[in-house]
Amino acid sequence: MKKTTFHRFPIDNSAILYLALIRKDHTNTYRFTMKLTETVCPETLQKAVDQIYLRFPTIVGGFHFGFFRSYQVPVEAPPQVQPDPGCLITMSREEIRRCAFRIYYRDRNIIMEAFHALTDGYGAIACFTTLIAEYLRLKHGIHIPVCETLVDLEQSPSLRELEDAYLQYEEGKPLHLPSRYAYQLPGGNAERNAIYEHTVRIPADKVLAAARTYGVSITALIGTAMASAIMEMQHRNPSGSAKPVRIMVPVDLRRMFPSGTFRNFILYVLPTLEPEEACRPLTERIHHFAKQVQSQLDPKRLASIMSYNVKAQRAWYFRMIPLSLKLAFMRLAYRFFGESNSSITFTNLGNMALPEVMIPYVKDIRLTMTPRARSPYNCGMMSYNGNFTLNICRFPQESRLEKIFTEKLDAVLNGEE
């Protein structure tokens, strides 16, 4: 691909929050791990990175911190592949400035890590699958056709891929959502030197059959199991009056608002399980959860939330505030009105569809997400080759949520409490 000069890109509406939440011991980072059927060759992997990094200038890059605002800045040279340290590690502010994107290798695994301010799951998957495809092309000489999750390296990045899609939908009537305190899982002050993972693999046909039986989405189905497990934890460890359990579910806005951007373009829905609802029959809980998800996915509602967020960011008085004060204010506001508004984040990236020629080389793929700053857990799920892989990630060594969740999940999938 011919080199195209990109200087900098104004950050999108999601990125400014992720930048505000940077701490010495925590950044909103995620990793994709793809397990191949053969040992990874580091030299070939580096050649693949060299070939693809210019194609994704808004992903393979870092952030410039000015006096009033921040910018995404593409890297000058390709990042160097490194041996995998073994777990997702917090990025330092200097790393985020230079290159908030990493490529690791270990045995048969290729790993991509990214700071969430760079891109969401859609952009990350496009970049990662393109990297794997180029690696396989260099290693085995195979031709891999371009598809929805794989870009053409012969073409330069399009304006559509580089756009801040939030700005295309700012004309709606602004809607500000009120905050409500939700139950917080214990262990928020745990040591941050390692992230522990509990992986649950479920046959896709079993999940799909259960979703069809209840007539709900997979996100609502698994989300109900997670909410029920967290409510059970609260009942086992009471501290004051019982609080609602709210699941923060990221929504890919491209499903409702046409966009091909590789930058962040997500909002969240917040289905809730109230304490008094915990004793209701399982079927009622699942249907109530699904109705909440569906109602919050109303395009007019999402457009209004986008409009509120963008108008606030673009207001003249906000732009005139020095960046350091802006980030401090947002950090404080998020502490009291953001993360406390939900109990856990549950990300479902859906099915990973690879070109047929790649499938014999790829055994598995999974998503790992950094637990939130003041909550010890996070959860990501995706499916590939007939299986759903769900990863519960946590800071503390003591495993408490995982066992209860597995019990609730079995009940949901088998239709019995």
Side-chain angles (χ1 to χ4, degrees):
M1 177 189 150
K2 184 183 285 188
K3 184 164 185 176
T4 306
T5 301
F6 297 103
H7 297 291
R8 61 186 187 180
F9 303 91
I11 62 173
D12 60 58
N13 190 253
S14 290
I16 191 171
L17 178 60
Y18 294 125
L19 290 170
L21 298 179
I22 295 173
R23 302 188 342 182
K24 282 186 177 181
D25 62 349
H26 182 271
T27 50
N28 284 281
T29 314
Y30 53 79
R31 69 160 38 190
F32 286 93
T33 302
M34 193 172 285
K35 187 173 186 178
L36 305 183
T37 55
E38 61 186 10
T39 302
V40 174
C41 172
E43 292 78 15
T44 306
L45 180 59
Q46 183 62 60
K47 290 178 183 177
V49 172
D50 296 347
Q51 291 296 317
I52 70 104
Y53 84 101
L54 291 174
R55 186 63 179 77
F56 298 94
T58 57
I59 298 177
V60 189
F63 291 86
H64 170 74
F65 297 87
F67 187 76
F68 286 107
R69 54 188 63 88
S70 300
Y71 299 93
Q72 283 181 245
V73 183
V75 294
E76 295 281 334
Q80 298 301 295
V81 303
Q82 307 169 60
D84 180 29
C87 67
L88 186 57
I89 297 175
T90 293
M91 289 186 180
S92 67
R93 193 178 182 89
E94 178 59 22
E95 283 181 291
I96 289 171
R97 186 188 67 79
R98 287 187 287 104
C99 183
F101 175 92
R102 301 163 171 160
I103 297 295
Y104 294 122
Y105 61 89
R106 182 187 74 252
D107 301 328
R108 292 182 289 164
N109 299 284
I110 296 177
I111 301 110
M112 185 192 88
E113 289 184 359
F115 178 43
H116 210 325
L118 290 171
T119 184
D120 55 22
Y122 179 91
I125 286 175
C127 181
F128 192 39
T129 53
T130 302
L131 171 65
I132 302 298
E134 182 63 10
Y135 171 83
L136 293 174
R137 185 190 71 80
L138 291 170
K139 186 83 166 21
H140 297 284
I142 58 176
H143 170 70
I144 301 174
V146 174
C147 65
E148 184 180 354
T149 57
L150 196 66
V151 305
D152 188 351
L153 292 178
E154 297 300 317
Q155 294 184 355
S156 297
S158 68
L159 294 177
R160 195 161 177 259
E161 293 169 357
L162 304 176
E163 72 177 0
D164 181 351
Y166 292 110
L167 303 183
Q168 310 304 315
Y169 300 95
E170 64 172 313
E171 297 305 321
K173 183 179 179 181
L175 172 65
H176 175 55
L177 297 178
S179 181
R180 184 186 178 201
Y181 192 81
Y183 174 68
Q184 301 298 296
L185 287 157
N189 297 319
E191 290 294 323
R192 310 296 181 96
N193 59 340
I195 293 173
Y196 298 85
E197 298 180 48
H198 178 81
T199 302
V200 180
R201 286 189 174 84
I202 323 161
D205 55 1
K206 188 172 184 178
V207 179
L208 292 168
R212 281 194 294 267
T213 298
Y214 291 108
V216 301
S217 68
I218 291 170
T219 296
L221 189 77
I222 307 298
T224 302
M226 180 61 72
S228 300
I230 295 173
M231 186 65 77
E232 179 68 24
M233 279 191 69
Q234 181 178 197
H235 288 162
R236 293 184 186 184
N237 304 276
S239 57
S241 58
K243 299 177 180 63
V245 170
R246 303 186 86 186
I247 309 296
M248 180 178 280
V249 182
V251 176
D252 183 355
L253 293 172
R254 299 169 187 83
R255 299 176 188 174
M256 288 152 283
F257 303 94
S259 175
T261 184
F262 285 157
R263 305 176 73 184
N264 286 298
F265 195 38
I266 54 172
L267 282 178
Y268 299 88
V269 297
L270 288 160
T272 305
L273 179 65
E274 301 290 347
E276 60 271 18
E277 295 171 346
C279 295
R280 288 184 180 178
L282 176 61
T283 301
E284 284 187 28
R285 270 180 282 144
I286 292 173
H287 286 151
H288 181 58
F289 210 79
K291 285 179 182 178
Q292 292 181 75
V293 172
Q294 194 60 39
S295 66
Q296 292 181 36
L297 284 175
D298 176 63
K300 289 184 179 179
R301 176 182 179 275
L302 294 172
S304 295
I305 296 172
M306 272 194 284
S307 177
Y308 177 86
N309 293 343
V310 171
K311 284 185 183 335
Q313 179 186 345
R314 288 163 68 93
W316 67 267
Y317 51 83
F318 186 82
R319 287 184 283 135
M320 294 302 293
I321 299 172
L323 180 63
S324 58
L325 293 179
K326 217 178 299 189
L327 296 181
F329 172 77
M330 293 187 69
R331 190 180 305 119
L332 187 65
Y334 188 75
R335 177 178 178 181
F336 290 102
F337 305 110
E339 197 164 288
S340 62
N341 203 31
S342 60
S343 308
I344 197 172
T345 302
F346 169 53
T347 300
N348 179 14
L349 291 182
N351 184 52
M352 180 70 160
L354 296 178
E356 193 171 333
V357 69
M358 290 179 65
I359 293 176
Y361 299 93
V362 179
K363 187 172 183 180
D364 187 29
I365 183 167
R366 70 177 188 273
L367 168 66
T368 306
M369 303 180 66
T370 307
R372 302 188 301 176
R374 298 185 179 278
S375 176
Y377 289 93
N378 218 331
C379 183
M381 182 175 81
M382 59 193 309
S383 68
Y384 170 72
N385 203 19
N387 285 290
F388 275 95
T389 301
L390 187 146
N391 248 19
I392 300 177
C393 310
R394 58 185 168 86
F395 284 133
Q397 293 189 30
E398 182 184 0
S399 171
R400 302 172 68 182
L401 175 62
E402 293 88 328
K403 183 179 179 182
I404 303 174
F405 170 73
T406 301
E407 294 170 355
K408 300 295 182 182
L409 181 61
D410 286 343
V412 165
L413 295 178
N414 295 314
E416 53 191 34
E417 192 82 56

